Amino acid sequence: MEVHVNYLAVLVAALANYVIAAIWYGAIFSKLWVKLTGITEMKPVPLNIVLVLIGSFVLSYVLFHSITFGDAYFKMSGVQGGLMCGFFSWLGYIAPVTLCTKLYEKKPWGLWLLDNAFWLISLLAMGTILSLWM
């Protein structure tokens, strides 16, 4: 099966992930994030910004393929398919990995909840964008 990737959709979804993160951790929950992490000063380094954008692009690219797979094999197309892929990507990959990190690094539960709420919302948004542009 050949997958025809809509790279514009992948790019837009990756940028959406980045914008949601900036709003989530910057405008809405910056004080809570500082309290939970203990990091008092956050100055974005250009290299870090580039790396995060590359990571967002890779995440979006893989999510695109998950949606394509779901559509081809389970007939979950449209927004419903995008939302399901976003949700199950969060449930199967993000939540368990960050739970292990939380447990072994002894971070506060509030930080785990804050981060996982971000990832769930971001993956749902990305899945919606990608499914609409398939």
Short mmCIF file of all heavy atoms in Angstrom, two decimals, residues 14-80:
data_model
loop_
_atom_site.label_atom_id
_atom_site.label_comp_id
_atom_site.label_asym_id
_atom_site.label_seq_id
_atom_site.Cartn_x
_atom_site.Cartn_y
_atom_site.Cartn_z
N ALA A 14 1.87 20.04 12.70
CA ALA A 14 3.07 20.20 13.53
C ALA A 14 3.12 21.62 14.10
O ALA A 14 3.45 21.80 15.29
CB ALA A 14 4.31 19.91 12.71
N LEU A 15 2.83 22.59 13.29
CA LEU A 15 2.82 23.98 13.77
C LEU A 15 1.72 24.19 14.81
O LEU A 15 1.91 24.92 15.78
CB LEU A 15 2.67 24.95 12.60
CG LEU A 15 3.86 25.03 11.66
CD1 LEU A 15 3.54 25.91 10.45
CD2 LEU A 15 5.11 25.53 12.37
N ALA A 16 0.57 23.54 14.61
CA ALA A 16 -0.52 23.63 15.58
C ALA A 16 -0.06 23.08 16.93
O ALA A 16 -0.35 23.67 17.98
CB ALA A 16 -1.74 22.88 15.08
N ASN A 17 0.66 21.97 16.92
CA ASN A 17 1.21 21.39 18.15
C ASN A 17 2.10 22.40 18.86
O ASN A 17 2.00 22.60 20.07
CB ASN A 17 1.98 20.11 17.83
CG ASN A 17 2.60 19.48 19.06
OD1 ASN A 17 1.91 19.23 20.03
ND2 ASN A 17 3.88 19.24 18.99
N TYR A 18 2.95 23.07 18.10
CA TYR A 18 3.87 24.05 18.67
C TYR A 18 3.11 25.25 19.24
O TYR A 18 3.41 25.73 20.34
CB TYR A 18 4.87 24.50 17.60
CG TYR A 18 6.00 25.31 18.18
CD1 TYR A 18 7.08 24.70 18.77
CD2 TYR A 18 5.96 26.70 18.13
CE1 TYR A 18 8.12 25.45 19.32
CE2 TYR A 18 6.99 27.45 18.67
CZ TYR A 18 8.06 26.81 19.26
OH TYR A 18 9.08 27.56 19.81
N VAL A 19 2.11 25.72 18.52
CA VAL A 19 1.32 26.87 18.97
C VAL A 19 0.52 26.51 20.22
O VAL A 19 0.46 27.30 21.18
CB VAL A 19 0.39 27.39 17.85
CG1 VAL A 19 -0.63 28.38 18.37
CG2 VAL A 19 1.23 28.00 16.72
N ILE A 20 -0.07 25.33 20.23
CA ILE A 20 -0.82 24.89 21.42
C ILE A 20 0.11 24.83 22.62
O ILE A 20 -0.25 25.25 23.72
CB ILE A 20 -1.52 23.54 21.16
CG1 ILE A 20 -2.63 23.71 20.14
CG2 ILE A 20 -2.07 22.95 22.47
CD1 ILE A 20 -3.20 22.40 19.60
N ALA A 21 1.32 24.32 22.43
CA ALA A 21 2.30 24.25 23.53
C ALA A 21 2.64 25.65 24.03
O ALA A 21 2.73 25.88 25.25
CB ALA A 21 3.55 23.52 23.07
N ALA A 22 2.86 26.58 23.12
CA ALA A 22 3.21 27.95 23.51
C ALA A 22 2.08 28.59 24.31
O ALA A 22 2.32 29.25 25.34
CB ALA A 22 3.53 28.78 22.28
N ILE A 23 0.85 28.37 23.87
CA ILE A 23 -0.29 28.93 24.60
C ILE A 23 -0.48 28.22 25.93
O ILE A 23 -0.68 28.86 26.97
CB ILE A 23 -1.58 28.83 23.73
CG1 ILE A 23 -1.44 29.75 22.51
CG2 ILE A 23 -2.81 29.17 24.56
CD1 ILE A 23 -2.52 29.52 21.46
N TRP A 24 -0.39 26.89 25.92
CA TRP A 24 -0.63 26.08 27.12
C TRP A 24 0.38 26.40 28.22
O TRP A 24 0.01 26.68 29.35
CB TRP A 24 -0.55 24.61 26.73
CG TRP A 24 -0.94 23.64 27.80
CD1 TRP A 24 -0.12 22.99 28.67
CD2 TRP A 24 -2.26 23.20 28.11
NE1 TRP A 24 -0.84 22.17 29.48
CE2 TRP A 24 -2.16 22.28 29.16
CE3 TRP A 24 -3.52 23.49 27.59
CZ2 TRP A 24 -3.27 21.65 29.72
CZ3 TRP A 24 -4.62 22.86 28.13
CH2 TRP A 24 -4.49 21.96 29.19
N TYR A 25 1.66 26.32 27.86
CA TYR A 25 2.72 26.49 28.86
C TYR A 25 3.14 27.94 29.04
O TYR A 25 3.79 28.28 30.04
CB TYR A 25 3.93 25.64 28.50
CG TYR A 25 3.67 24.16 28.65
CD1 TYR A 25 3.51 23.35 27.54
CD2 TYR A 25 3.56 23.58 29.91
CE1 TYR A 25 3.28 21.99 27.68
CE2 TYR A 25 3.32 22.23 30.06
CZ TYR A 25 3.18 21.45 28.93
OH TYR A 25 2.94 20.11 29.07
N GLY A 26 2.79 28.79 28.08
CA GLY A 26 3.19 30.19 28.18
C GLY A 26 2.09 31.07 28.72
O GLY A 26 2.23 31.69 29.78
N ALA A 27 0.99 31.13 28.02
CA ALA A 27 -0.07 32.07 28.37
C ALA A 27 -1.01 31.55 29.46
O ALA A 27 -1.41 32.29 30.35
CB ALA A 27 -0.88 32.42 27.12
N ILE A 28 -1.35 30.27 29.41
CA ILE A 28 -2.40 29.77 30.32
C ILE A 28 -1.82 29.22 31.62
O ILE A 28 -2.26 29.60 32.71
CB ILE A 28 -3.25 28.69 29.61
CG1 ILE A 28 -3.92 29.27 28.37
CG2 ILE A 28 -4.29 28.13 30.58
CD1 ILE A 28 -4.67 28.25 27.54
N PHE A 29 -0.86 28.31 31.53
CA PHE A 29 -0.40 27.59 32.72
C PHE A 29 1.06 27.85 33.08
O PHE A 29 1.69 27.01 33.72
CB PHE A 29 -0.62 26.08 32.54
CG PHE A 29 -2.06 25.70 32.47
CD1 PHE A 29 -2.61 25.21 31.29
CD2 PHE A 29 -2.89 25.82 33.58
CE1 PHE A 29 -3.95 24.85 31.22
CE2 PHE A 29 -4.22 25.45 33.52
CZ PHE A 29 -4.76 24.97 32.34
N SER A 30 1.61 28.98 32.70
CA SER A 30 3.03 29.23 32.96
C SER A 30 3.34 29.25 34.46
O SER A 30 4.32 28.67 34.91
CB SER A 30 3.50 30.53 32.30
OG SER A 30 2.77 31.63 32.81
N LYS A 31 2.49 29.90 35.26
CA LYS A 31 2.74 29.98 36.70
C LYS A 31 2.62 28.60 37.36
O LYS A 31 3.43 28.25 38.21
CB LYS A 31 1.78 30.97 37.35
CG LYS A 31 2.08 32.41 36.98
CD LYS A 31 1.11 33.37 37.61
CE LYS A 31 1.43 34.79 37.12
NZ LYS A 31 0.45 35.74 37.58
N LEU A 32 1.64 27.84 36.93
CA LEU A 32 1.49 26.49 37.48
C LEU A 32 2.67 25.62 37.08
O LEU A 32 3.20 24.87 37.90
CB LEU A 32 0.17 25.86 36.99
CG LEU A 32 -0.11 24.44 37.45
CD1 LEU A 32 -0.16 24.35 38.98
CD2 LEU A 32 -1.40 23.93 36.83
N TRP A 33 3.10 25.72 35.81
CA TRP A 33 4.24 24.94 35.34
C TRP A 33 5.50 25.30 36.14
O TRP A 33 6.24 24.40 36.55
CB TRP A 33 4.45 25.18 33.84
CG TRP A 33 5.55 24.36 33.26
CD1 TRP A 33 5.49 23.06 32.87
CD2 TRP A 33 6.90 24.78 33.04
NE1 TRP A 33 6.72 22.64 32.41
CE2 TRP A 33 7.59 23.69 32.50
CE3 TRP A 33 7.58 25.98 33.24
CZ2 TRP A 33 8.94 23.75 32.16
CZ3 TRP A 33 8.92 26.05 32.89
CH2 TRP A 33 9.58 24.94 32.36
N VAL A 34 5.74 26.58 36.38
CA VAL A 34 6.90 27.01 37.17
C VAL A 34 6.81 26.42 38.57
O VAL A 34 7.80 25.90 39.10
CB VAL A 34 6.98 28.56 37.23
CG1 VAL A 34 7.93 29.03 38.32
CG2 VAL A 34 7.40 29.11 35.88
N LYS A 35 5.63 26.47 39.18
CA LYS A 35 5.44 25.93 40.53
C LYS A 35 5.72 24.42 40.57
O LYS A 35 6.38 23.92 41.48
CB LYS A 35 4.02 26.21 41.00
CG LYS A 35 3.69 25.67 42.36
CD LYS A 35 2.24 25.94 42.71
CE LYS A 35 1.87 25.21 43.97
NZ LYS A 35 0.44 25.25 44.23
N LEU A 36 5.21 23.69 39.57
CA LEU A 36 5.34 22.24 39.56
C LEU A 36 6.74 21.76 39.19
O LEU A 36 7.17 20.71 39.65
CB LEU A 36 4.31 21.63 38.62
CG LEU A 36 2.85 21.78 39.05
CD1 LEU A 36 1.91 21.37 37.93
CD2 LEU A 36 2.58 20.99 40.32
N THR A 37 7.44 22.50 38.33
CA THR A 37 8.77 22.07 37.89
C THR A 37 9.89 22.66 38.73
O THR A 37 10.97 22.09 38.81
CB THR A 37 9.03 22.47 36.43
OG1 THR A 37 9.00 23.90 36.32
CG2 THR A 37 8.05 21.81 35.50
N GLY A 38 9.64 23.83 39.32
CA GLY A 38 10.69 24.52 40.05
C GLY A 38 11.63 25.30 39.14
O GLY A 38 12.59 25.91 39.60
N ILE A 39 11.36 25.30 37.85
CA ILE A 39 12.17 26.06 36.90
C ILE A 39 11.63 27.49 36.90
O ILE A 39 10.47 27.72 36.57
CB ILE A 39 12.09 25.45 35.49
CG1 ILE A 39 12.66 24.03 35.52
CG2 ILE A 39 12.82 26.32 34.47
CD1 ILE A 39 12.45 23.26 34.22
N THR A 40 12.47 28.42 37.26
CA THR A 40 11.99 29.79 37.41
C THR A 40 12.23 30.65 36.17
O THR A 40 11.58 31.67 36.00
CB THR A 40 12.67 30.47 38.61
OG1 THR A 40 14.08 30.42 38.43
CG2 THR A 40 12.28 29.78 39.91
N GLU A 41 13.16 30.26 35.34
CA GLU A 41 13.45 31.06 34.15
C GLU A 41 13.51 30.16 32.93
O GLU A 41 14.24 29.18 32.89
CB GLU A 41 14.79 31.77 34.31
CG GLU A 41 15.06 32.78 33.23
CD GLU A 41 16.33 33.57 33.49
OE1 GLU A 41 16.74 33.70 34.66
OE2 GLU A 41 16.91 34.03 32.52
N MET A 42 12.73 30.52 31.93
CA MET A 42 12.68 29.72 30.71
C MET A 42 12.98 30.63 29.53
O MET A 42 12.14 31.42 29.13
CB MET A 42 11.29 29.10 30.56
CG MET A 42 11.16 28.23 29.36
SD MET A 42 12.08 26.73 29.57
CE MET A 42 11.16 25.63 28.57
N LYS A 43 14.20 30.53 29.03
CA LYS A 43 14.58 31.29 27.85
C LYS A 43 14.77 30.32 26.70
O LYS A 43 15.69 29.51 26.71
CB LYS A 43 15.88 32.06 28.10
CG LYS A 43 15.74 33.19 29.08
CD LYS A 43 17.03 33.97 29.19
CE LYS A 43 16.86 35.12 30.15
NZ LYS A 43 18.08 35.88 30.32
N PRO A 44 13.88 30.40 25.70
CA PRO A 44 14.00 29.47 24.57
C PRO A 44 15.31 29.67 23.81
O PRO A 44 15.65 30.78 23.42
CB PRO A 44 12.80 29.82 23.69
CG PRO A 44 11.88 30.59 24.56
CD PRO A 44 12.72 31.25 25.58
N VAL A 45 16.04 28.60 23.64
CA VAL A 45 17.27 28.60 22.86
C VAL A 45 16.89 28.25 21.41
O VAL A 45 16.10 27.32 21.21
CB VAL A 45 18.26 27.55 23.44
CG1 VAL A 45 19.52 27.47 22.62
CG2 VAL A 45 18.55 27.85 24.89
N PRO A 46 17.42 28.99 20.43
CA PRO A 46 17.02 28.71 19.03
C PRO A 46 17.15 27.24 18.63
O PRO A 46 16.26 26.71 17.96
CB PRO A 46 17.96 29.60 18.22
CG PRO A 46 18.26 30.74 19.15
CD PRO A 46 18.31 30.13 20.52
N LEU A 47 18.22 26.58 19.04
CA LEU A 47 18.38 25.17 18.68
C LEU A 47 17.26 24.33 19.27
O LEU A 47 16.73 23.43 18.61
CB LEU A 47 19.74 24.64 19.14
CG LEU A 47 19.99 23.15 18.87
CD1 LEU A 47 19.94 22.85 17.37
CD2 LEU A 47 21.31 22.71 19.46
N ASN A 48 16.85 24.62 20.49
CA ASN A 48 15.76 23.87 21.12
C ASN A 48 14.45 24.07 20.37
O ASN A 48 13.67 23.13 20.20
CB ASN A 48 15.58 24.28 22.58
CG ASN A 48 16.73 23.81 23.45
OD1 ASN A 48 17.61 23.10 23.00
ND2 ASN A 48 16.71 24.22 24.70
N ILE A 49 14.21 25.29 19.93
CA ILE A 49 13.00 25.58 19.16
C ILE A 49 12.99 24.76 17.88
O ILE A 49 11.98 24.14 17.53
CB ILE A 49 12.88 27.09 18.85
CG1 ILE A 49 12.65 27.86 20.15
CG2 ILE A 49 11.76 27.36 17.86
CD1 ILE A 49 12.77 29.35 20.01
N VAL A 50 14.12 24.72 17.18
CA VAL A 50 14.22 23.94 15.94
C VAL A 50 14.00 22.46 16.22
O VAL A 50 13.27 21.78 15.50
CB VAL A 50 15.59 24.18 15.25
CG1 VAL A 50 15.80 23.20 14.11
CG2 VAL A 50 15.69 25.61 14.76
N LEU A 51 14.62 21.95 17.28
CA LEU A 51 14.47 20.53 17.61
C LEU A 51 13.03 20.18 17.98
O LEU A 51 12.51 19.12 17.58
CB LEU A 51 15.42 20.14 18.74
CG LEU A 51 16.91 20.16 18.38
CD1 LEU A 51 17.76 19.91 19.62
CD2 LEU A 51 17.22 19.16 17.29
N VAL A 52 12.36 21.06 18.71
CA VAL A 52 10.96 20.82 19.06
C VAL A 52 10.09 20.84 17.81
O VAL A 52 9.19 20.01 17.66
CB VAL A 52 10.48 21.85 20.11
CG1 VAL A 52 8.97 21.81 20.27
CG2 VAL A 52 11.16 21.61 21.44
N LEU A 53 10.36 21.76 16.89
CA LEU A 53 9.59 21.80 15.65
C LEU A 53 9.82 20.54 14.81
O LEU A 53 8.88 20.00 14.22
CB LEU A 53 9.95 23.05 14.85
CG LEU A 53 9.34 24.35 15.38
CD1 LEU A 53 9.95 25.56 14.67
CD2 LEU A 53 7.83 24.34 15.23
N ILE A 54 11.06 20.06 14.77
CA ILE A 54 11.35 18.82 14.05
C ILE A 54 10.60 17.65 14.70
O ILE A 54 9.99 16.82 14.03
CB ILE A 54 12.86 18.55 13.98
CG1 ILE A 54 13.54 19.57 13.05
CG2 ILE A 54 13.15 17.12 13.51
CD1 ILE A 54 15.05 19.55 13.12
N GLY A 55 10.64 17.60 16.04
CA GLY A 55 9.91 16.56 16.75
C GLY A 55 8.42 16.63 16.49
O GLY A 55 7.75 15.59 16.30
N SER A 56 7.87 17.82 16.44
CA SER A 56 6.45 18.00 16.14
C SER A 56 6.13 17.52 14.72
O SER A 56 5.08 16.91 14.48
CB SER A 56 6.05 19.47 16.27
OG SER A 56 6.13 19.88 17.61
N PHE A 57 7.03 17.79 13.79
CA PHE A 57 6.83 17.35 12.41
C PHE A 57 6.85 15.82 12.33
O PHE A 57 6.00 15.22 11.67
CB PHE A 57 7.90 17.95 11.49
CG PHE A 57 7.68 17.63 10.04
CD1 PHE A 57 6.80 18.40 9.29
CD2 PHE A 57 8.33 16.57 9.44
CE1 PHE A 57 6.58 18.09 7.95
CE2 PHE A 57 8.12 16.26 8.11
CZ PHE A 57 7.23 17.03 7.36
N VAL A 58 7.79 15.19 13.01
CA VAL A 58 7.87 13.72 13.02
C VAL A 58 6.60 13.14 13.65
O VAL A 58 6.01 12.18 13.12
CB VAL A 58 9.14 13.23 13.75
CG1 VAL A 58 9.11 11.73 13.96
CG2 VAL A 58 10.39 13.64 12.98
N LEU A 59 6.17 13.70 14.76
CA LEU A 59 4.94 13.25 15.41
C LEU A 59 3.75 13.38 14.47
O LEU A 59 2.94 12.44 14.33
CB LEU A 59 4.70 14.06 16.68
CG LEU A 59 3.40 13.82 17.44
CD1 LEU A 59 3.31 12.39 17.94
CD2 LEU A 59 3.28 14.79 18.59
N SER A 60 3.66 14.50 13.80
CA SER A 60 2.56 14.73 12.85
C SER A 60 2.61 13.75 11.68
O SER A 60 1.59 13.22 11.25
CB SER A 60 2.63 16.17 12.35
OG SER A 60 1.58 16.46 11.48
N TYR A 61 3.80 13.49 11.18
CA TYR A 61 4.00 12.56 10.07
C TYR A 61 3.55 11.14 10.46
O TYR A 61 2.85 10.47 9.71
CB TYR A 61 5.48 12.57 9.67
CG TYR A 61 5.83 11.68 8.51
CD1 TYR A 61 5.60 12.08 7.20
CD2 TYR A 61 6.43 10.44 8.73
CE1 TYR A 61 5.94 11.27 6.13
CE2 TYR A 61 6.77 9.62 7.66
CZ TYR A 61 6.54 10.04 6.37
OH TYR A 61 6.87 9.22 5.32
N VAL A 62 3.94 10.71 11.64
CA VAL A 62 3.55 9.38 12.11
C VAL A 62 2.05 9.31 12.38
O VAL A 62 1.39 8.33 12.04
CB VAL A 62 4.37 8.99 13.36
CG1 VAL A 62 3.84 7.71 14.00
CG2 VAL A 62 5.84 8.84 13.01
N LEU A 63 1.50 10.37 12.95
CA LEU A 63 0.05 10.41 13.19
C LEU A 63 -0.72 10.37 11.88
O LEU A 63 -1.76 9.71 11.79
CB LEU A 63 -0.32 11.66 14.00
CG LEU A 63 -1.75 11.74 14.53
CD1 LEU A 63 -2.07 10.56 15.43
CD2 LEU A 63 -1.96 13.05 15.27
N PHE A 64 -0.20 11.03 10.85
CA PHE A 64 -0.82 10.98 9.52
C PHE A 64 -0.92 9.53 9.05
O PHE A 64 -1.95 9.10 8.55
CB PHE A 64 -0.01 11.81 8.53
CG PHE A 64 -0.59 11.85 7.14
CD1 PHE A 64 -1.48 12.85 6.79
CD2 PHE A 64 -0.28 10.89 6.20
CE1 PHE A 64 -2.03 12.89 5.51
CE2 PHE A 64 -0.82 10.91 4.93
CZ PHE A 64 -1.71 11.93 4.58
N HIS A 65 0.17 8.78 9.23
CA HIS A 65 0.17 7.38 8.81
C HIS A 65 -0.80 6.54 9.66
O HIS A 65 -1.44 5.62 9.15
CB HIS A 65 1.58 6.81 8.86
CG HIS A 65 2.41 7.24 7.70
ND1 HIS A 65 3.00 8.48 7.64
CD2 HIS A 65 2.73 6.62 6.55
CE1 HIS A 65 3.64 8.58 6.49
NE2 HIS A 65 3.50 7.47 5.82
N SER A 66 -0.92 6.85 10.94
CA SER A 66 -1.87 6.14 11.79
C SER A 66 -3.30 6.37 11.33
O SER A 66 -4.11 5.45 11.29
CB SER A 66 -1.73 6.60 13.25
OG SER A 66 -0.47 6.27 13.76
N ILE A 67 -3.59 7.60 10.96
CA ILE A 67 -4.93 7.92 10.47
C ILE A 67 -5.18 7.22 9.14
O ILE A 67 -6.27 6.67 8.91
CB ILE A 67 -5.11 9.45 10.36
CG1 ILE A 67 -5.07 10.08 11.75
CG2 ILE A 67 -6.42 9.79 9.64
CD1 ILE A 67 -4.96 11.60 11.72
N THR A 68 -4.17 7.21 8.28
CA THR A 68 -4.30 6.52 6.99
C THR A 68 -4.55 5.04 7.21
O THR A 68 -5.41 4.44 6.56
CB THR A 68 -3.02 6.73 6.15
OG1 THR A 68 -2.83 8.13 5.95
CG2 THR A 68 -3.12 6.03 4.81
N PHE A 69 -3.82 4.43 8.13
CA PHE A 69 -4.01 3.02 8.46
C PHE A 69 -5.42 2.77 8.98
O PHE A 69 -6.11 1.84 8.57
CB PHE A 69 -2.97 2.57 9.49
CG PHE A 69 -3.15 1.16 9.95
CD1 PHE A 69 -2.66 0.10 9.20
CD2 PHE A 69 -3.81 0.88 11.13
CE1 PHE A 69 -2.83 -1.21 9.62
CE2 PHE A 69 -3.99 -0.43 11.57
CZ PHE A 69 -3.50 -1.47 10.80
N GLY A 70 -5.85 3.62 9.92
CA GLY A 70 -7.19 3.47 10.48
C GLY A 70 -8.27 3.59 9.42
O GLY A 70 -9.25 2.84 9.43
N ASP A 71 -8.07 4.52 8.49
CA ASP A 71 -9.04 4.69 7.42
C ASP A 71 -9.06 3.48 6.49
O ASP A 71 -10.13 3.00 6.11
CB ASP A 71 -8.72 5.96 6.64
CG ASP A 71 -9.76 6.28 5.57
OD1 ASP A 71 -10.94 5.95 5.78
OD2 ASP A 71 -9.38 6.86 4.54
N ALA A 72 -7.89 2.97 6.14
CA ALA A 72 -7.80 1.86 5.19
C ALA A 72 -8.30 0.53 5.78
O ALA A 72 -8.97 -0.24 5.09
CB ALA A 72 -6.36 1.68 4.71
N TYR A 73 -8.00 0.28 7.03
CA TYR A 73 -8.30 -1.03 7.59
C TYR A 73 -9.52 -1.08 8.51
O TYR A 73 -10.12 -2.12 8.68
CB TYR A 73 -7.08 -1.58 8.33
CG TYR A 73 -5.96 -1.89 7.37
CD1 TYR A 73 -4.92 -0.99 7.16
CD2 TYR A 73 -5.97 -3.07 6.63
CE1 TYR A 73 -3.90 -1.27 6.25
CE2 TYR A 73 -4.97 -3.35 5.72
CZ TYR A 73 -3.93 -2.44 5.54
OH TYR A 73 -2.95 -2.72 4.64
N PHE A 74 -9.86 0.04 9.10
CA PHE A 74 -10.98 0.05 10.03
C PHE A 74 -12.11 0.98 9.59
O PHE A 74 -13.08 1.15 10.30
CB PHE A 74 -10.52 0.44 11.43
CG PHE A 74 -9.49 -0.48 11.98
CD1 PHE A 74 -8.18 -0.04 12.19
CD2 PHE A 74 -9.79 -1.80 12.29
CE1 PHE A 74 -7.22 -0.90 12.69
CE2 PHE A 74 -8.83 -2.66 12.78
CZ PHE A 74 -7.54 -2.21 12.99
N LYS A 75 -11.93 1.60 8.45
CA LYS A 75 -12.93 2.52 7.88
C LYS A 75 -13.31 3.61 8.87
O LYS A 75 -14.47 3.93 9.08
CB LYS A 75 -14.19 1.76 7.43
CG LYS A 75 -13.91 0.65 6.45
CD LYS A 75 -13.27 1.17 5.18
CE LYS A 75 -13.02 0.03 4.22
NZ LYS A 75 -11.83 0.19 3.43
N MET A 76 -12.28 4.18 9.54
CA MET A 76 -12.49 5.29 10.47
C MET A 76 -12.01 6.57 9.79
O MET A 76 -10.94 7.06 10.08
CB MET A 76 -11.69 5.09 11.75
CG MET A 76 -12.06 3.92 12.57
SD MET A 76 -11.17 3.85 14.14
CE MET A 76 -9.48 4.15 13.67
N SER A 77 -12.77 7.09 8.89
CA SER A 77 -12.32 8.27 8.18
C SER A 77 -12.90 9.54 8.79
O SER A 77 -13.75 9.48 9.68
CB SER A 77 -12.70 8.16 6.70
OG SER A 77 -14.10 8.09 6.58
N GLY A 78 -12.45 10.67 8.28
CA GLY A 78 -12.95 11.96 8.72
C GLY A 78 -12.47 12.33 10.11
O GLY A 78 -11.51 11.75 10.64
N VAL A 79 -13.15 13.29 10.68
CA VAL A 79 -12.76 13.80 11.99
C VAL A 79 -12.79 12.71 13.05
O VAL A 79 -11.91 12.65 13.92
CB VAL A 79 -13.65 15.00 12.39
CG1 VAL A 79 -13.37 15.44 13.81
CG2 VAL A 79 -13.45 16.16 11.43
N GLN A 80 -13.77 11.82 12.98
CA GLN A 80 -13.85 10.73 13.96
C GLN A 80 -12.57 9.90 13.95
O GLN A 80 -12.03 9.57 15.00
CB GLN A 80 -15.05 9.83 13.68
CG GLN A 80 -15.15 8.68 14.66
CD GLN A 80 -16.28 7.72 14.31
OE1 GLN A 80 -16.93 7.83 13.27
NE2 GLN A 80 -16.52 6.75 15.18
#
